[in-house]
Amino acid sequence: MLGTAKYWLGIVPILALGVAATPAEAASPTPISACPYTITAAGKYVVTNDLTATASCISTLANNVAVDLRGHTITGAGVGIGVGYTGDIGYSNILIANGTIRKFYNGIATRTNLVTIANMVISNNAGDGIASGGTVINTIASNNGLVGINASTAPSTYISGVQANGNGSYGIVFGLNSAVVNSEAVGNGNAGILSQEPGNLVSGTTARGNAGDGILLETAGGVGANYTTVIDSTFFGNDGNGISVGNNGSSVVGNTARNNTRAGILLACPSEAFGNTAQNNVGGNLVTTDNTCVLLDDKSR
């Protein structure tokens, strides 16, 4: 997955991040060859070798910054942040791509959702692999102590082509008006995918073998409607419900839920379910809170 789009940062900082396209900047990105390193000016920065750190490694204290790891690995000591910043100011237009970050507290962390994370492997961090919203594509977040990708406080997050596997808590957590597409959450210590905010989309995604639900969608406190769509996704072998929609107003369409410990699909009404297959689930296949849900063409035997 990560080999399909190598080292594409040459034009992205100018086109997507609004970095000024001065001749000097285009010809001479700033090298990073040791930790700690603090970025205080806009531009493109390239990691020139594998790095080790005893605390945080690369701190991004400026807007319009691209950090290209160039295939290198940054290794920490269980504390700090691999790349990013979580201070009082939320810097924006940050791009982090093309490498591995491991063994920090958080692999990547930012206070803004105006960030793109692409072609990364984020593993074995003590806390969250990624604690940031924005855009996360073609990235692996595995074996982290808490959440693989934690975008719970960042609205309008887009997650695509992601593997969130073997994390100590949730695989993927996302916030308001966000999307998870063509991704997987496997073998996590709680639900594979979690959102407690409304207005989201999950499509073409697999959640299997998680210690909780495959996907849990429930606004905080169970109040109000969720307005989330789960479509063309697969949920099996989870130690909970395959799909759990804890608030009304959602659509569950064309999914498969099999061999889960609890219900295949648990649906708060009024919501709608169309064209799903739910079979061999211990706690029932298609379970609704009352008779006001709209159900059509579901296979639950």
Side-chain angles (χ1 to χ4, degrees), residues 10-106:
I11 61 172
V12 169
I14 296 171
L15 297 181
L17 296 181
V19 176
T22 63
E25 186 176 280
S28 302
T30 302
I32 299 174
S33 59
C35 303
Y37 189 95
T38 301
I39 296 172
T40 58
K44 177 180 174 181
Y45 295 78
V46 296
V47 175
T48 60
N49 50 271
D50 291 348
L51 305 177
T52 58
T54 58
S56 294
C57 183
I58 301 174
S59 299
T60 53
L61 276 67
N63 299 319
N64 305 325
V65 166
V67 179
D68 185 353
L69 275 68
R70 294 276 179 94
H72 294 297
T73 297
I74 302 176
T75 302
V79 296
I81 300 168
V83 179
Y85 177 71
T86 59
D88 293 336
I89 300 173
Y91 296 99
S92 62
N93 287 2
I94 307 297
L95 175 59
I96 303 164
N98 298 331
T100 298
I101 299 174
R102 57 195 298 269
K103 294 188 176 181
F104 289 86
Y105 183 77
N106 291 330

Side-chain angles (χ1 to χ4, degrees), residues 184-200:
E184 69 174 32
V186 177
N188 297 288
N190 206 315
I193 301 169
L194 169 70
S195 179
Q196 293 185 304
E197 299 286 348
N200 298 301

